[in-house]
Amino acid sequence: MLKLLSHSMRFQSFASTLSPPTLSRHGTASSSPLPRVLVSLRFAAFRNPNLRGRVFFCSDSSDGSDPPSVVDAAAGAKAAEAEVGDAASNLAAAMVPAVFKPEDCLTVLALPLPHRPLFPGFYMPIYVKDPKVLSALVESRKRQAPYAGAFLVKEDPGSGSTTASETEKSIADLKGKELLNRLHEVGTLAQITSIQGEQVILIGHRRLRITEMVEEDPLTVKVDHLKDQPYVDNDVMKATSFEVITTLRDVLKVHSLWRDQVQTYIQHIGDFNYPRLADFGAAICGGNKLQCQRVLEELNVLKRLQLTLELVKKEMEISKIQESIAKAIEEKISGEQRRYLLNEQLKAIKKELGLETDDKTALTSKFRERIEPNKDKCPPHVLQVIEEELTKLQLLEASSSEFNVTRNYLDWLTALPWGNYSDENFDVIRAQKILDEDHYGLTDVKERILEFIAVGKLRGTSQGKIICLSGPPGVGKTSIGRSIARALNRKFYRFSVGGLSDVAEIKGHRRTYIGAMPGKMVQCLKNVGTANPLVLIDEIDKLGRGHAGDPASAMLELLDPEQNANFLDHYLDVPIDLSKVLFVCTANVVEQIPNPLLDRMEVIAIAGYITDEKMHIARDYLEKSTREACGIKPEQVEVTGAALLNLIENYCREAGVRNLQKQIEKIYRKIALQLVRRDASNSLPAAVIESNESKGNVSVHSAEAIADEGIQSEAESAVTVLDSTESEGHGSRETLVGDENQNKVESIKIGNDEVIAEPETEVSDDDSLEAEIIEDSEASKSVEKVLVDESNLSDYVGKPVFHAERIYDQTPVGVVMGLAWTAMGGSTLYIETSLIEEGEGKGALTLTGQLGDVMKESAQIAHTVARRILLEKDTNINFFANSKLHLHVPAGATPKDGPSAGCTMITSLLSLALKKHVRKDLAMTGEVTLTGKILPIGGVKEKTIAARRSDVKTLIFPSANRRDFDELAENVKEGLDVHFVDEYSQIFDLAFADDN
């Protein structure tokens, strides 16, 4: 029958004579159209004869339950056998000799199948690694009984997700009952067709069920042969089979591998009935192995077909998804290819028409256009380098790395403002006005800038300078740089070098490095677009030093007026003229700047601001800008001068005004919150009118909820206006004269603010009453003003941070006031000396107060000088030799160092030895040598300001500091009795005068 069907497909002449009716389960001819549908499947399969199949089939797959098909055209069958003789001879080689029948196999070797079950009629290659099993299979084949049982392995519940190789390895380790328990009971009787090494080719014949184990190694079991249950060829069976065939045909259209399998199966299987259709569908689909095992175990043909239909439907959905994915990817690839081709064609067309040039030509044109305006001003050596690089750019491929390096290099070279200078302002009056608008004081800095402008006006051109502004934080060093740029009409550029440890940030990287960039100065010139900007180098005293070099040494070339005319950046590698650039550096401590770098700069010290200057700055600059930033009108708030003075002296004693600005901003933020809350409370109903028919009186109750952070912890509410007779008894209210009724307006002070409440009014008409209330409320709003004075300042900024530095009105014996410089600007410093014990040879000196090494040495020098002076005075000459003394410098938590307290320590020791008080309101400072000479000190302005703050009238300075004191402003020197000394003997006479 198989040969006849195959022959009919190849030769169309046989198709009309052959009509292969299938027999039912009971041997009667069936009129089912299933064969005709399968013929259409075969035609679909033969359209692609070159595909390779992944499985093979045999013709002897009958399980003994299906009767053979009957064909009337015997002559046609014989002719077909003659035509396909070769195929028959090949098939006969795979058949089992007739001496042994499959149904006689009741004891078989059990072969485990790890991945999928073997269905009747299908080939399956397996690998047998157990030598005993392999030898038993070879022996069985020699005995003309080449059959074995193939059973699917159950999943190990404890294995989780394992790979196929791990599963096969775990199965190979199982033996005997352990392997038997892992096998499904229902399997397939398989014929052993060939054995090549470890590979065994099996062909499924019929279903088996394991009954018992015969031998453990190799595993041999007794089996029962299973037969399909009888079925009726009814409409349900036909419809289910047709649906399976229809789904298979749909899958064949998109799944080329399935077409090959159908072709091979039809060539080798003679009768395609319902059970075989179910096995075929389950065998070729890619379903789960447990679902395929269910199909193998199912003996009810209709249920088996239904299970197969479910599997092929799932396969159809997978095929649709696969087709959609392939189509989307193909569309994407084809779209990208199409777009690329069109773009390339468009570029070619534009290039032919002269509408567009290639990338290299466009870049060259861009660079030439950029350098053209400054070509006359550009130095010749720079133009030569640009031309060479442009020529090299044309020779390079756009895809090479050197092309990008050259392009970036040309981009930087052509972007610099070669010879492009901004027009400077030589108007001294205008510059003075601009500097005074932005900053109060800073006379030295302003004078130096005006000198710079004056020199430029006389010469007709200006040269670059290097100015260093030194001073404590917050004195306006950075902001004055911006004002200078505005006064000179120069572009401003700022960069900070604090913590900078890489020389490449100053001098640039080599172009060979990946991500190379020029230094900060080249970036500055590109950003500002002029060759004479004002460059502010911030925090130059905090330059770092790391493995990448010493930036301070790299700054030498940049800040040297003799060298920066030919400054060489590592990236550009061409000299750049920086001689017209005005450099302004800022530093907190000049001593931390390396001496070679400091030698190249003109240092202008900004010592700080005294109280009067801070008052002007706060009133004219800080308060005004803060009020505008907070959106507060001047008539809404008033900060008294006493409040500002208190704020400066008790909260902001530092030399700068940065902390003062923070405190003023804090005050105005709280005032803004207070005003917003007041407006919110005023938006509520301002009056509740109650009618009193018997008296005709109307009481107006005004409620306001006023709460302010830090001023009032809880909102005051329900301010009730009392009767005019009662209101006279309150002491904190004001009476305002209104209309002729002379209604009383109550002003109640709540949380240091005055809030005016509406008066109680007697009217006869409700409308007139409401109008008067609105008028009174508007009048009250116009006079509401927040007042910040000395009494309520702490409500806004908290408790005072600083207290009076002066501890004693009259210093006791052994205590002398000194003067010290600090980062806060300067302060008074007490030196206290006390006698611990006296005794022969017990002379010693103990030092406390967290003193530095230099200050400790000054104390030892002071002890020696004091002993010498005491010997000269012939008074208690053995005091220091027989006295154990303790010298302390408060406050103990503050580190102290420096030599300027030497004269103060000597005076303290002599006061204790002579048992004399020093002069009242006296403070001194100065370094002392062993011979009693007084050496100069620093911080004269700060120390003078500190003395004025402590109400000290008499000061002692070294004679060498007379020039520093004379340079101070008159308001700083006013009212002070200053003595300048060269030797300590002069201090002794001043401190221990008879009129003490």
Side-chain angles (χ1 to χ4, degrees):
M1 184 64 187
L2 169 64
K3 300 176 181 61
L4 178 60
L5 291 177
S6 301
H7 179 73
S8 65
M9 292 186 61
R10 295 171 185 166
F11 305 96
Q12 295 294 331
S13 61
F14 284 86
S16 60
T17 61
L18 297 178
S19 76
T22 58
L23 294 179
S24 67
R25 186 71 183 163
H26 304 289
T28 60
S30 173
S31 60
S32 171
L34 179 60
R36 292 196 299 272
V37 178
L38 294 175
V39 169
S40 65
L41 277 176
R42 280 180 284 180
F43 278 112
F46 276 111
R47 292 183 188 129
N48 193 357
N50 296 323
L51 296 173
R52 294 184 305 163
R54 65 179 178 185
V55 294
F56 302 91
F57 310 91
C58 74
S59 61
D60 189 13
S61 61
S62 174
D63 56 1
S65 62
D66 296 331
S69 302
V70 179
V71 182
D72 293 335
K78 291 180 180 179
E81 288 180 358
E83 294 289 338
V84 293
D86 295 337
S89 61
N90 293 335
L91 184 64
M95 298 299 294
V96 182
V99 295
F100 192 88
K101 296 181 179 180
E103 54 266 21
D104 295 336
C105 293
L106 301 178
T107 302
V108 294
L109 286 172
L111 299 179
L113 302 179
H115 306 303
R116 289 176 62 84
L118 175 63
F119 284 89
F122 283 84
Y123 283 81
M124 177 180 286
I126 64 171
Y127 290 88
V128 179
K129 297 184 179 180
D130 191 345
K132 291 185 178 180
V133 176
L134 195 61
S135 62
L137 291 175
V138 174
E139 185 66 25
S140 174
R141 195 178 181 197
K142 288 180 180 179
R143 288 189 287 108
Q144 303 299 321
Y147 290 97
F151 302 92
L152 181 68
V153 179
K154 298 177 182 177
E155 290 186 354
D156 188 3
S159 62
S161 58
T162 57
T163 61
S165 60
E166 292 176 351
T167 303
E168 292 179 359
K169 185 177 180 181
S170 62
I171 295 173
D173 296 336
L174 300 177
K175 304 292 182 182
K177 288 186 178 181
E178 188 177 0
L179 176 60
L180 181 63
N181 294 332
R182 287 287 303 278
L183 299 179
H184 286 275
E185 290 184 355
V186 178
T188 307
L189 179 66
Q191 177 186 349
I192 306 168
T193 60
S194 67
I195 301 176
Q196 297 178 357
E198 294 182 349
Q199 186 185 53
V200 179
I201 307 298
L202 303 178
I203 302 176
H205 276 269
R206 60 182 64 196
R207 287 170 170 78
L208 301 175
R209 185 189 300 275
I210 298 176
T211 57
E212 61 178 314
M213 184 176 65
V214 176
E215 187 178 349
E216 289 190 1
D217 193 14
L219 181 62
T220 308
V221 294
K222 285 187 177 181
V223 295
D224 287 341
H225 294 259
L226 302 179
K227 296 182 179 181
D228 293 336
Q229 297 177 3
Y231 60 90
V232 179
D233 190 5
N234 53 17
D235 294 339
V236 177
M237 184 74 73
K238 293 177 183 179
T240 307
S241 63
F242 280 141
E243 184 63 26
V244 173
I245 294 172
T246 304
T247 308
L248 287 175
R249 291 184 62 184
D250 293 338
V251 176
L252 285 175
K253 295 177 182 178
V254 296
H255 212 303
S256 60
L257 188 60
W258 282 33
R259 290 198 293 268
D260 187 35
Q261 292 174 341
V262 172
Q263 175 187 353
T264 308
Y265 196 81
I266 292 175
Q267 286 177 350
H268 291 80
I269 300 301
D271 187 10
F272 217 146
N273 52 21
Y274 296 124
R276 290 177 180 174
L277 177 63
D279 290 345
F280 173 79
I284 66 174
C285 73
N288 186 273
K289 66 179 184 178
L290 296 180
Q291 294 175 333
C292 295
Q293 178 66 24
R294 287 175 58 195
V295 176
L296 183 66
E297 294 176 354
E298 186 58 58
L299 300 181
N300 188 306
V301 178
L302 178 59
K303 292 183 178 180
R304 190 188 302 171
L305 278 172
Q306 292 172 346
L307 291 174
T308 301
L309 180 59
E310 182 181 349
L311 289 177
V312 294
K313 285 288 185 183
K314 291 181 179 179
E315 193 70 23
M316 183 62 197
E317 294 298 325
I318 295 174
S319 299
K320 289 181 179 178
I321 296 174
Q322 178 182 354
E323 184 180 9
S324 64
I325 294 173
K327 185 177 180 181
I329 294 176
E330 185 178 356
E331 290 178 354
K332 182 179 179 181
I333 294 175
S334 61
E336 291 178 354
Q337 290 177 345
R338 182 172 178 271
R339 189 179 299 107
Y340 174 76
L341 291 176
L342 290 176
N343 286 330
E344 291 298 321
Q345 292 174 2
L346 182 62
K347 288 181 180 179
I349 292 171
K350 287 185 175 181
K351 188 174 181 180
E352 288 295 329
L353 296 176
L355 300 178
E356 184 178 292
T357 57
D358 58 0
D359 293 340
K360 291 191 290 186
T361 307
L363 282 173
T364 304
S365 301
K366 184 183 79 169
F367 292 143
R368 291 190 184 278
E369 291 173 1
R370 187 185 290 176
I371 200 65
E372 191 64 30
N374 297 329
K375 192 170 185 179
D376 297 336
K377 304 176 184 177
C378 188
H381 64 276
V382 176
L383 287 176
Q384 181 182 355
V385 172
I386 292 176
E387 289 296 333
E388 292 175 356
E389 293 297 323
L390 286 174
T391 304
K392 185 170 70 172
L393 186 69
Q394 291 293 329
L395 300 176
L396 293 172
E397 290 293 334
S399 58
S400 66
S401 59
E402 186 68 20
F403 180 84
N404 292 327
V405 173
T406 305
R407 183 186 62 186
N408 293 335
Y409 180 51
L410 282 170
D411 189 20
W412 280 101
L413 271 179
T414 56
L416 293 182
W418 300 104
N420 186 15
Y421 301 101
S422 60
D423 296 332
E424 289 193 273
N425 169 44
F426 294 120
D427 189 351
V428 178
I429 305 300
R430 177 178 173 273
Q432 178 77 51
K433 182 180 178 182
I434 292 174
L435 294 173
D436 290 340
E437 283 178 359
D438 297 340
H439 292 81
Y440 181 85
L442 301 180
T443 307
D444 295 342
V445 182
K446 294 178 182 178
E447 193 71 19
R448 181 64 186 87
I449 299 303
L450 295 178
E451 292 171 1
F452 178 81
I453 295 175
V455 172
K457 184 175 182 178
L458 294 177
R459 291 188 55 188
T461 181
S462 61
Q463 292 294 324
K465 289 294 181 182
I466 296 93
I467 299 173
C468 180
L469 305 178
S470 67
V475 296
K477 299 185 298 296
T478 304
S479 59
I480 192 65
R482 195 180 303 273
S483 298
I484 295 171
R486 192 161 70 93
L488 296 175
N489 195 26
R490 289 194 179 200
K491 295 295 183 68
F492 178 77
Y493 186 84
R494 172 193 172 273
F495 69 93
S496 177
V497 295
L500 191 69
S501 59
D502 191 357
V503 174
E505 293 291 331
I506 307 298
K507 301 273 289 181
H509 303 84
R510 301 288 181 186
R511 290 200 305 276
T512 55
Y513 298 155
I514 297 175
M517 287 186 65
K520 284 293 185 181
M521 275 312 304
V522 177
Q523 297 177 34
C524 160
L525 296 178
K526 180 182 178 182
N527 289 339
V528 299
T530 60
N532 62 337
L534 186 145
V535 179
L536 180 71
I537 304 177
D538 221 351
E539 309 293 350
I540 198 170
D541 59 327
K542 299 175 182 62
L543 275 171
R545 185 171 184 174
H547 67 282
D550 184 12
S553 301
M555 295 285 287
L556 295 177
E557 181 185 3
L558 179 65
L559 299 181
D560 192 339
E562 301 298 329
Q563 300 182 35
N564 60 13
N566 295 302
F567 177 74
L568 189 65
D569 185 88
H570 290 162
Y571 183 86
L572 295 184
D573 205 22
V574 292
I576 304 173
D577 185 9
L578 300 179
S579 61
K580 300 294 175 52
V581 178
L582 176 58
F583 291 97
V584 177
C585 306
T586 67
N588 296 125
V589 182
V590 179
E591 288 75 14
Q592 294 181 2
I593 303 175
N595 288 332
L597 186 60
L598 185 63
D599 182 60
R600 287 162 168 79
M601 297 186 292
E602 182 180 349
V603 180
I604 301 177
I606 304 176
Y609 300 104
I610 61 175
T611 303
D612 294 341
E613 292 174 337
K614 287 185 178 180
M615 284 288 292
H616 283 285
I617 293 171
R619 183 67 73 187
D620 300 337
Y621 298 92
L622 302 181
E623 188 181 1
K624 180 180 178 181
S625 61
T626 304
R627 186 169 58 239
E628 293 176 355
C630 294
I632 299 175
K633 299 178 182 179
E635 61 269 13
Q636 289 179 304
V637 63
E638 180 183 355
V639 181
T640 64
L644 283 179
L645 182 61
N646 190 7
L647 185 68
I648 293 169
E649 292 185 345
N650 296 328
Y651 296 85
C652 310
R653 284 187 183 177
E654 65 280 349
V657 293
R658 185 173 292 139
N659 190 36
L660 179 60
Q661 182 180 6
K662 293 178 183 177
Q663 297 295 337
I664 293 176
E665 289 175 352
K666 186 176 182 181
I667 292 173
Y668 273 89
R669 284 197 306 268
K670 291 185 178 295
I671 293 174
L673 177 61
Q674 180 180 346
L675 293 175
V676 170
R677 284 178 171 171
R678 179 182 300 172
D679 293 341
S681 63
N682 289 338
S683 63
L684 298 174
V688 178
I689 304 174
E690 297 180 356
S691 300
N692 191 341
E693 296 178 357
S694 59
K695 296 183 179 180
N697 295 330
V698 178
S699 299
V700 180
H701 298 274
S702 174
E704 291 188 7
I706 300 174
D708 187 24
E709 181 185 349
I711 297 178
Q712 182 171 334
S713 61
E714 188 175 1
E716 298 285 340
S717 62
V719 179
T720 305
V721 181
L722 303 178
D723 194 48
S724 61
T725 57
E726 296 176 353
S727 63
E728 296 175 357
H730 295 274
S732 62
R733 51 176 80 156
E734 299 175 359
T735 302
L736 303 178
V737 179
D739 54 9
E740 61 262 9
N741 293 329
Q742 295 184 355
N743 299 323
K744 300 295 188 292
V745 179
E746 183 181 6
S747 173
I748 303 175
K749 194 169 185 180
I750 301 176
N752 302 314
D753 298 321
E754 293 182 356
V755 180
I756 301 176
E758 290 78 1
E760 181 180 304
T761 312
E762 293 184 0
V763 296
S764 59
D765 186 66
D766 294 341
D767 295 336
S768 61
L769 174 62
E770 294 177 1
E772 290 181 7
I773 291 174
I774 293 174
E775 292 177 0
D776 291 341
S777 63
E778 291 177 353
S780 66
K781 288 181 181 178
S782 63
V783 297
E784 287 179 4
K785 194 171 190 178
V786 178
L787 179 65
V788 180
D789 56 12
E790 191 175 6
S791 62
N792 63 355
L793 180 64
S794 60
D795 296 333
Y796 292 91
V797 293
K799 300 299 181 183
V801 179
F802 299 99
H803 300 282
E805 293 181 354
R806 187 160 184 171
I807 305 175
Y808 310 101
D809 289 334
Q810 170 62 57
T811 55
V813 172
V815 179
V816 181
M817 181 187 294
L819 299 174
W821 178 93
T822 66
M824 307 297 288
S827 65
T828 56
L829 191 72
Y830 284 97
I831 305 294
E832 301 177 344
T833 308
S834 178
L835 176 63
I836 301 176
E837 61 177 329
E838 285 186 303
E840 186 69 27
K842 289 189 175 182
L845 180 64
T846 303
L847 303 176
T848 57
Q850 205 170 351
L851 308 182
D853 293 337
V854 176
M855 203 165 184
K856 289 179 180 178
E857 292 176 357
S858 296
Q860 296 297 332
I861 294 172
H863 190 253
T864 303
V865 174
R867 294 184 68 172
R868 181 178 60 80
I869 292 174
L870 206 60
L871 287 173
E872 293 176 357
K873 300 297 181 183
D874 293 333
T875 305
N876 196 7
I877 58 176
N878 295 324
F879 175 78
F880 291 107
N882 301 328
S883 301
K884 186 176 183 181
L885 305 179
H886 183 182
L887 189 146
H888 176 67
V889 184
T894 305
K896 310 169 192 68
D897 203 0
S900 63
C903 62
T904 313
M905 292 179 176
I906 296 174
T907 308
S908 176
L909 292 169
L910 291 176
S911 173
L912 183 65
L914 299 174
K915 296 182 173 54
K916 284 186 178 183
H917 297 276
V918 297
R919 183 174 177 176
K920 189 177 181 181
D921 295 335
L922 174 68
M924 64 187 69
T925 180
E927 181 182 356
V928 181
T929 65
L930 280 174
T931 59
K933 294 290 184 180
I934 306 299
L935 301 182
I937 45 86
V940 173
K941 182 177 180 180
E942 290 85 350
K943 294 178 179 179
T944 306
I945 294 172
R948 290 184 63 89
R949 190 167 53 239
S950 298
D951 293 331
V952 176
K953 304 300 181 182
T954 306
L955 300 179
I956 298 177
F957 285 120
S959 295
N961 291 112
R962 183 187 296 272
R963 179 181 59 84
D964 300 326
F965 185 82
D966 292 340
E967 291 178 355
L968 298 180
E970 292 299 327
N971 58 347
V972 178
K973 299 186 291 183
E974 184 180 0
L976 295 179
D977 181 18
V978 182
H979 300 271
F980 298 96
V981 297
D982 292 318
E983 295 184 359
Y984 183 77
S985 59
Q986 298 173 265
I987 299 177
F988 185 87
D989 295 337
L990 291 170
F992 301 104
D994 294 337
D995 59 350
N996 190 32

